[in-house]
Amino acid sequence: MAYFWRIRHSHQKDASGGEISPVQYVGRTPNSGSELVLSEDEKSDNEDKEETELGVMEDQRSIILHLISQLKLGMDLTKVVLPTFILEKRSLLEMYADFMAHPDLLLAITAGATPEERVICFVEYYLTAFHEGRKGALAKKPYNPIIGETFHCSWEVPKDRVKPKRTAPRSPAGCHEHPMADDPSKSYKLRFVAEQVSHHPPISCFYCECKEKRLCVNTHVWTKSKFMGMSVGVSMIGEGVLRLLEHGEEYVFTLPSAYARSILTIPWVELGGKVSINCAKTGYSATVIFHTKPFYGGKVHRVTAEVKHNPTNTIVCKAHGEWNGTLEFTYSNGETKVIDTTTLPVYPKKIRPLEKQGPMESRNLWREVTRYLQLGDIDAATEQKRHLEEKQRVEERKRENLRTPWKPKYFIQEGDGWVYFNPLWKAH
């Protein structure tokens, strides 16, 4: 069912007289009245990025064994309560934002001179996006977002770093630099908002835009997990659309599945499955295959890709390597390029401090669970998590009794998908 409501136009002024962007300003929405999110309040993120790499403790192993004994192969884990010690200290909504850690590569797509250059730039960005979304090698599970939960952030990208080129990006070997623009007028602003729009099934949406580059991405994802013996598989059902308004191009893409392996010893994550990228206007498409490790031998984290111009049945680019390591691209003219994902510059996201966040914003919502996990107090973290989830269940029962459907704040359902309520392509 689609939700429609009166939306006030985003051409509003902030206190200083400047225009507030559509991601910053939300007009009349189903649940909230007017809401103001000022990116001026955002500061560089200084949250600890690493997770403890300890593997599974003996007492934890017995809990997992007990849980496994109650599961059947292929069983849907959506409603199974998993132990708190496997959680990493961030929401799934924030994890989607962390996939945007190389915004310079995203913004460079629109500067490609030809449709072929632009689709290849998008494939290069896509293949480098996943490694930074993982915090360390250990497989941990982000918090399941609560319905109505939101996450806001932005990135500032120095304009001189946004250049499409077929040469490896220059970066000190083995170094994750944090490029920052001293002068905001010399940088592009990329804004991001995510929201959990459904609990059953669990559907997350996110939207990001750069007004100056006339580029935006709108994505909806339904995560579906299942038990696979000594592994847990998570399918990412849904799709995203990258729009380059300057060129009138839309790139529709899907996402790989994720697998937590060796869940009784030292759990680790791998990606798997075939994904597609398609641009109907230009006739270009790409197929990307994330290869899971064979049972005996073989490399981990392998990925291969092929970019094709369908009207002429011509392959214009091939790629292979590891999605969290080195990737090699070969173009139709014989040129090659190598990208080492471990040395790409990482742009820290900017996020408002907790005291300026609303009660349903991810870090504020989960702050007590995160605090107790940081202290190593698993029982207290479990109790805080249980309190949040029970509150969600109570509110869900109320809506069922009143036959009142949940109305998201930022996204509207359109057919099988969800679209941001005031996207760049509809802005005046």
Side-chain angles (χ1 to χ4, degrees), residues 52-57 60-61 85 138 140 264-267:
T52 310
E53 304 269 338
L54 291 177
V56 178
M57 306 293 186
Q60 296 174 350
R61 184 178 286 110
F85 58 76
L138 190 66
K140 287 201 169 187
L264 278 179
T265 53
I266 301 178

Side-chain angles (χ1 to χ4, degrees), residues 77-95:
L77 298 180
T78 305
K79 295 184 180 181
V80 175
V81 178
L82 299 174
T84 305
F85 58 76
I86 71 167
L87 295 177
E88 62 174 279
K89 299 181 284 289
R90 62 173 172 171
S91 170
L92 179 65
L93 297 186
E94 182 169 355
M95 190 188 82

Side-chain angles (χ1 to χ4, degrees), residues 110 207 209-211 213-216 242-251 281 423-427:
T110 195
Y207 172 83
E209 71 171 33
C210 177
K211 289 180 88 172
K213 298 294 280 182
R214 301 189 65 213
L215 170 153
C216 60
L242 165 69
R243 286 178 172 86
L244 307 181
L245 302 186
E246 183 182 337
H247 306 288
E249 295 170 359
E250 296 183 2
Y251 297 82
K281 178 182 177 180
L424 200 56
W425 70 87
K426 292 183 181 177

Side-chain angles (χ1 to χ4, degrees), residues 27-61:
R28 184 67 54 187
T29 60
N31 281 348
S32 67
S34 295
E35 174 159 321
L36 191 64
V37 175
L38 288 173
S39 67
E40 286 75 9
D41 293 335
E42 292 175 340
K43 304 185 186 313
S44 288
D45 186 24
N46 57 5
E47 283 279 305
D48 180 21
K49 294 286 190 289
E50 293 302 318
E51 290 289 334
T52 310
E53 304 269 338
L54 291 177
V56 178
M57 306 293 186
E58 195 57 46
D59 57 337
Q60 296 174 350
R61 184 178 286 110

